[in-house]
Structure formats: structure tokens, C-alpha cells
């Protein structure tokens, strides 16, 4: 039997999956690490913790499944997007990585948009936000000139792991698209954007496809882990692209509703010609010459987590949501907006705050729980509607993953609000499975990613929209859309008062 390993380099942990040719996940191992927050708005990690975690996970996989030592053929990666790794001329890290959730770069983002906002959106398909890599580069250039003078290369986290394993530096397109430096449609670094902000092209890594072989694992590392044969290393993909691959989002009409701490609504895009004018993110997919659009809810699962911990700490999530189907659509006139940490899509507003509206004396904990679930789903629907209206899309299947896929009543709510069939996965392995699938395609196990999906990805249940529920939700959603404008001024004043 032959195996591949998918590595998911996340913000708080690194996970590894050993997968066979049938798509069966045989072993999962993980290793956690911490964020560094030296001051407000800062979020960093020492890249060495990723290497330490990778070493632990690979050794544990072989210890738990000895056959993997001689039968593993390849390895690939999924990684947190945007986070900046700066290297000197010898490939040594110059500082901690500045992570995707670091928000120190508001000034640089404003400068980018003031200087060349429309050009940046036209070329990169995205507008400048604190999470992207270009503002981080400009921040280092402005605030750490000594480090900037020594910087000879920049990479993103999973590309740094690829460099560690092979000695070769490169970046694949799905991650490069999140730097705000890639011409997304033409798949080349944008010389004009680099010139606008005085960035030397010499620091930009070579661009490759996600399933491209970037080298063979260094012999000394393979021996340290316990591998006895050559291990092909493939470039991998950005975490959202890999999550989409692992959920089978590989053709038009398919969408992904992911409810983790944040929420993502993602749509497959056949080509790079779509113009959303920066209203949603638009990135290269981990599938060659394909793309995806993506809207983000900043506090999706986090809203439910906050609500449970604050008002129902003694209950499990299953208990909290056990009576969803006993509460009427629209939660008997109660509405929740999940803006408790600001909102990304469609507002890009860091100061807006959440709200419960319509509370009265008859409302119980069950009403509030359903209102939170509906509010989270409405927010994801904001992104779906943007895609439908701007690209004339029609969704024939939406795959639900994360917290929203664990409750059948919530899955039906999604189908009714999205007005589209919603399915969940038989086994949900997230971006790590997508990374393993990239390695499988890179090795030639499957000629295309679509054929790999047929073997590796399986759906459990399908929930069809109920026409009468759809009509009711359309009326409630119309009200929901008006809450932002109605509460924005008050929320901003309260935010300023408490800063």
C-alpha cells in the first residue's frame, strides 16, 4: 500500500494526516503552539515552532503506523494565509512571522488604497486589508529598516516548511494570491504594484502550481523522521483553497459554507475574469487555472461560543441547540447580528458591533440560541448574495463544514436561508485532507483533482430548501440587511467611547 501525508499548518497547531490511495485517513497527529502578542494589535509566531511541530507530528505518524516509513510516497501542505516570513541571504529568519490576524498595518492599508487603490483591486482582485502580506512588508520597511536591509526573500508559512524540507524556495498561486502582489488572472507577480511601493522583485519567490513537485525531502531529515525511501514534496495550497479541495469544491455551481471561529462562504470560479471590485476576496485555487471567491464573517462560530459561555455555560452545544426546531423561523421576532468583533463581508467595518433586536418578555434561551444561529447564517448569506448578484451565479450544491454541519436543524436552516441544497461530509478532515489530495495528484495517483475528489470525498446527508421556509426567511433576511445601517452610527460612537 502507498500513502501520502497532508500537513495543515494552522494558527494554533500543526496537524498531519496519513492517507492511503482509497482516501482513507489512517492516522492523525497534531502539535500545538502559541501566539505571541507583544502589544495590542500584534500577532506573531517564531517560525521555529512550526518546524518543531512538524518534526513531532511526522515522528509520531511513523511511530503509530510503522508501515508509513517505507510506503509513504509524498507530502504536501496547507497553510495559514498572508503571514509574512522574512529571510536573509542565507535563508535564516530575520524576525518573528507577522501573522494574518495581526492588525498593526491600518496606516499602510490606507496608504495603499489612497495611492493606487483601484489599480491594486484591478490587478490583484482584492482591496488592501490588514491581513494581507503587502501591508506587512511595507510596515517592516517603514518601522524596521535594519531588518528590511537584510531581507533577501519572503515566504508564507507553508512555503517555509517546504523550504525547510527541501532547501528550495517557492510560493504557489493560491497562497501568492493572498499577498496583494500577484496578478491573479495572469498568474505572475505584479511588477507595477511592486514598483509603486518600491519593493525589489529579487525578494519575490518563484511561482509554482500547488501540485508541482518542489523537491525531495532532505536525506538527513528523512532519516531523523524514520522514512526509509525518498519522499516527494509538493508545494501545497492556502488553507481555504485546501479546505475547498477537501470538501470537493472543484466545479461551477458549488459553494462552501464553513463555520469555524470565523465563517467563510466560498465559491468555485472557473476563470480569473470575474470582477467583484474587491467586494469579496478573489484568489487562485489549488486546482490549476481555477479560482475561488470568498466572503468572510469575522465572528461566526465565535458568536455561538461567546453566547454559550456567557449565558449557558453549563450546557453543551448539543443541549444549547437541541430545541432549534421548536422555535419559529425568525426566532419569534428576535434577531441577532454577529458583529461582535466587527465585520468583514460585506462591510469591512472593524468598529461595528453585534446586537440583539426585538427582545420581549416571551423570549427564552431557545429563542436566543436560534437567533444566533440564524444571524450567523444570514451573515454568510450576505457573501452568497454578492456572488450571485455580481457574477450571475446559481448554486446547485453547498457543502457545509465546521460547527454548522454538526446539527441537522442548523443544516436545514442553511438550506432554507441559502435557498440551495446543503450537504455535509461523511468524514470531515479539513485543509489537511486537501493537502494530501494535492500530493496524490502530484504523484500521478489521479490525472485530475476531480477524479481524486470522486475517490476521496463523500457526502453524508442532503438538505433541500423547503419552499415555504425560503419565503419566510426572505422576509426576515430583508429586515436583517437593514440592521447594519440602522446601528452603525450608534455602534461606532460606543466603540469610540470605550477605546
Amino acid at each position: 500500500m502507498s500513502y501520502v501525508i497532508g500537513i495543515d499548518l494552522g494558527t494554533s497547531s500543526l496537524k498531519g494526516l496519513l492517507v492511503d490511495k482509497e482516501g482513507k485517513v489512517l492516522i492523525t497527529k497534531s502539535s500545538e503552539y502559541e501566539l505571541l502578542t507583544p502589544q495590542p494589535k500584534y500577532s506573531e509566531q517564531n517560525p521555529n515552532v512550526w518546524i518543531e511541530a512538524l518534526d513531532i507530528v511526522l515522528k509520531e505518524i511513523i511511530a503509530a503506523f510503522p508501515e508509513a516509513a517505507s510506503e509513504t510516497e509524498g507530502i504536501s501542505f496547507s497553510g495559514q494565509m498572508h503571514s509574512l516570513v522574512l529571510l536573509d541571504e542565507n535563508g535564516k529568519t530575520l524576525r518573528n512571522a507577522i501573522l494574518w490576524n495581526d492588525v498593526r498595518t491600518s496606516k499602510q492599508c490606507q496608504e495603499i488604497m489612497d495611492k493606487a487603490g483601484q489599480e491594486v483591486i484591478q490587478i490583484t482582485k482584492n482591496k488592501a486589508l490588514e491581513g494581507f502580506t503587502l501591508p506587512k512588508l511595507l510596515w517592516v520597511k517603514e518601522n524596521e529598516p535594519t531588518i528590511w536591509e537584510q531581507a533577501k526573500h519572503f515566504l508564507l508559512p507553508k512555503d517555509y516548511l517546504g523550504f525547510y524540507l527541501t532547501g528550495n524556495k517557492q510560493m504557489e498561486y493560491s497562497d501568492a494570491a493572498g499577498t496583494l502582489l500577484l496578478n491573479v488572472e495572469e498568474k505572475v507577480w505584479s511588477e507595477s504594484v511592486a514598483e509603486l511601493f518600491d519593493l525589489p522583485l529579487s525578494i519575490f519567490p518563484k511561482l509554482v502550481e500547488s501540485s508541482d513537485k518542489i523537491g525531495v525531502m532532505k536525506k538527513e531529515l528523512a532519516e531523523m523522521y524514520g522514512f526509509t525511501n525518498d519522499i516527494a514534496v509538493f508545494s501545497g495550497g492556502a488553507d481555504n483553497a485546501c479546505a475547498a479541495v477537501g470538501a470537493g469544491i472543484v466545479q461551477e455551481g458549488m459553494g462552501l459554507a464553513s463555520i469555524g471561529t470565523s465563517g467563510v462562504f466560498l465559491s468555485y470560479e472557473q476563470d480569473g475574469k470575474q470582477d467583484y471590485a474587491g467586494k469579496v476576496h478573489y484568489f487562485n485555487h489549488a486546482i490549476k487555472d481555477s479560482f475561488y471567491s470568498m466572503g468572510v464573517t469575522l465572528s461566526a462560530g465565535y458568536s455561538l461560543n461567546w453566547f454559550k459561555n456567557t449565558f449557558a455555560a453549563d450546557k453543551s452545544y448539543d443541549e444549547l441547540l437541541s430545541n432549534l426546531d421548536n422555535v419559529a423561523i425568525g426566532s419569534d421576532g428576535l434577531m441577532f447580528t454577529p458583529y461582535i468583533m466587527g465585520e468583514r463581508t460585506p462591510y469591512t467595518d472593524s468598529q461595528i458591533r453585534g446586537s440583539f433586536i426585538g427582545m420581549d418578555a416571551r423570549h427564552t434561551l431557545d429563542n436566543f440560541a436560534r437567533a444566533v444561529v440564524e444571524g450567523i447564517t444570514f451573515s454568510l448569506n450576505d457573501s452568497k448574495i454578492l456572488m450571485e448578484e455580481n457574477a450571475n451565479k446559481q448554486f446547485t450544491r453547498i457543502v457545509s463544514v465546521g460547527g454548522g454541519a454538526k446539527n441537522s436543524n442548523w443544516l436545514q436552516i442553511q438550506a432554507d436561508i441559502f435557498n440551495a441544497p446543503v450537504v455535509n461530509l461523511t468524514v470531515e478532515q479539513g485543509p489537511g485532507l486537501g493537502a494530501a489530495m494535492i500530493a496524490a495528484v502530484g504523484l500521478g495517483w489521479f490525472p485530475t483533482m476531480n477524479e481524486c475528489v470522486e475517490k476521496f470525498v463523500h457526502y453524508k446527508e442532503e438538505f433541500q430548501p423547503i419552499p415555504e421556509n425560503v419565503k419566510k426567511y426572505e422576509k426576515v433576511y430583508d429586515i436583517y440587511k437593514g440592521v447594519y445601517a440602522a446601528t452603525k452610527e450608534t455602534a461606532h460612537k460606543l466603540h469610540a467611547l470605550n477605546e
Side-chain angles (χ1 to χ4, degrees):
M1 181 64 77
S2 298
Y3 310 108
V4 290
I5 293 175
I7 297 293
D8 178 25
L9 195 171
T11 309
S12 58
S13 68
L14 181 143
K15 300 174 184 177
L17 285 69
L18 182 71
V19 185
D20 68 15
K21 278 192 172 182
E22 298 300 310
K24 183 179 180 181
V25 178
L26 303 169
I27 294 288
T28 62
K29 294 292 181 179
S30 65
S31 180
E32 296 183 350
Y33 34 75
E34 294 183 352
L35 288 173
L36 302 174
T37 54
Q39 63 187 78
K41 298 186 177 184
Y42 283 40
S43 181
E44 301 184 348
Q45 272 170 346
N46 186 330
N48 286 335
V49 304
W50 307 331
I51 290 174
E52 292 167 3
L54 178 67
D55 292 348
I56 290 169
V57 164
L58 290 179
K59 288 177 182 177
E60 288 185 348
I61 286 175
I62 291 178
F65 201 90
E67 190 179 342
S70 59
E71 300 297 327
T72 299
E73 294 187 25
I75 185 171
S76 191
F77 315 93
S78 159
Q80 49 166 297
M81 296 180 71
H82 314 307
S83 306
L84 174 65
V85 182
L86 280 176
L87 306 178
D88 68 12
E89 60 184 1
N90 298 312
K92 302 296 184 184
T93 55
L94 287 165
R95 66 174 329 282
N96 289 333
I98 304 177
L99 299 193
W100 63 274
N101 57 353
D102 184 291
V103 292
R104 75 184 75 176
T105 58
S106 297
K107 175 176 175 285
Q108 286 72 30
C109 289
Q110 190 62 54
E111 289 172 352
I112 291 168
M113 296 308 293
D114 288 345
K115 185 173 184 178
Q118 289 306 309
E119 184 173 355
V120 167
I121 290 173
Q122 182 180 2
I123 293 171
T124 73
K125 304 283 187 177
N126 295 280
K127 57 185 175 184
L129 298 172
E130 287 86 352
F132 285 93
T133 316
L134 171 57
K136 303 181 196 308
L137 286 164
L138 298 182
W139 185 91
V140 173
K141 182 181 176 184
E142 181 178 338
N143 293 277
E144 297 177 344
T146 302
I147 287 176
W148 181 253
E149 288 175 6
Q150 300 174 70
K152 301 302 178 184
H153 311 277
F154 83 90
L155 294 174
L156 299 178
K158 66 106 173 60
D159 302 308
Y160 182 68
L161 290 187
F163 169 54
Y164 167 67
L165 289 183
T166 66
N168 299 322
K169 304 183 196 73
Q170 57 280 308
M171 188 181 297
E172 51 73 48
Y173 293 107
S174 70
D175 238 354
T179 62
L180 214 66
L181 290 162
L182 184 75
N183 185 317
V184 166
E185 187 174 350
E186 296 183 10
K187 297 174 64 177
V188 295
W189 291 119
S190 172
E191 294 186 16
S192 62
V193 173
E195 184 178 347
L196 276 167
F197 299 102
D198 194 26
L199 299 177
L201 288 171
S202 59
I203 71 170
F204 289 47
K206 179 178 71 172
L207 290 166
V208 298
E209 299 287 348
S210 293
S211 291
D212 279 354
K213 181 179 175 180
I214 60 174
V216 176
M217 186 181 293
K218 293 176 182 176
K219 190 170 292 293
E220 62 270 25
L221 291 178
E223 291 175 355
M224 179 181 74
Y225 299 136
F227 293 113
T228 59
N229 60 314
D230 288 342
I231 307 296
V233 183
F234 299 91
S235 186
D239 52 6
N240 286 304
C242 286
V245 167
I249 313 301
V250 295
Q251 58 190 14
E252 279 288 355
M254 296 198 69
L256 178 71
S258 174
I259 300 174
T261 301
S262 60
V264 165
F265 192 92
L266 182 152
S267 172
Y268 180 86
E269 302 281 351
Q270 187 64 51
D271 57 47
K273 299 185 183 300
Q274 195 57 248
D275 183 11
Y276 287 104
K279 295 175 183 177
V280 296
H281 299 316
Y282 198 96
F283 299 130
N284 302 74
H285 208 330
I287 305 163
K288 187 176 181 180
D289 296 331
S290 297
F291 303 79
Y292 67 94
S293 52
M294 184 181 82
V296 177
T297 296
L298 289 180
S299 299
Y302 184 66
S303 289
L304 186 62
N305 177 264
W306 161 81
F307 177 75
K308 186 186 94 65
N309 290 342
T310 305
F311 300 107
D314 59 328
K315 293 182 180 292
S316 68
Y317 285 103
D318 287 342
E319 290 172 322
L320 181 64
L321 303 182
S322 62
N323 292 319
L324 284 179
D325 59 338
N326 293 329
V327 179
I329 287 173
S331 305
D332 294 320
L334 181 63
M335 182 172 288
F336 172 73
T337 56
Y339 309 147
I340 60 175
M341 296 293 288
E343 189 55 303
R344 176 72 59 81
T345 310
Y347 304 115
T348 315
D349 187 342
S350 63
Q351 296 184 48
I352 190 65
R353 288 297 177 264
S355 59
F356 282 105
I357 293 178
M359 288 180 285
D360 66 38
R362 65 191 168 128
H363 290 141
T364 67
L365 182 66
D366 291 336
N367 291 98
F368 281 87
R370 179 156 184 140
V372 171
V373 164
E374 290 179 335
I376 293 167
T377 313
F378 283 144
S379 180
L380 292 172
N381 197 48
D382 283 340
S383 296
K384 172 180 173 285
I385 295 297
L386 273 177
M387 295 169 187
E388 290 174 332
E389 291 180 346
N390 286 270
N392 196 29
K393 283 187 172 294
Q394 182 175 359
F395 288 94
T396 56
R397 172 178 281 178
I398 294 171
V399 183
S400 179
V401 299
K406 297 175 181 177
N407 181 285
S408 59
N409 290 317
W410 196 347
L411 286 162
Q412 185 61 56
I413 289 170
Q414 291 176 65
D416 293 337
I417 290 177
F418 296 148
N419 191 19
V422 170
V423 299
N424 57 356
L425 294 163
T426 303
V427 179
E428 187 178 318
Q429 294 290 353
L433 178 62
M437 292 167 70
I438 287 170
V441 173
L443 285 165
W445 288 6
F446 303 93
T448 67
M449 187 60 75
N450 291 60
E451 291 171 82
C452 184
V453 165
E454 289 180 11
K455 178 70 76 171
F456 277 50
V457 181
H458 305 284
Y459 301 113
K460 183 180 180 182
E461 304 168 279
E462 181 170 284
F463 295 79
Q464 290 288 338
I466 300 170
E468 62 185 273
N469 293 355
V470 171
K471 291 180 181 178
K472 291 177 182 178
Y473 268 126
E474 286 174 349
K475 294 177 180 178
V476 180
Y477 178 62
D478 281 341
I479 298 170
Y480 171 88
K481 288 189 293 183
V483 175
Y484 173 78
T487 60
K488 176 180 177 181
E489 183 177 355
T490 299
H492 283 205
K493 286 179 179 178
L494 287 170
H495 180 78
L497 189 65
N498 287 279
E499 276 196 321

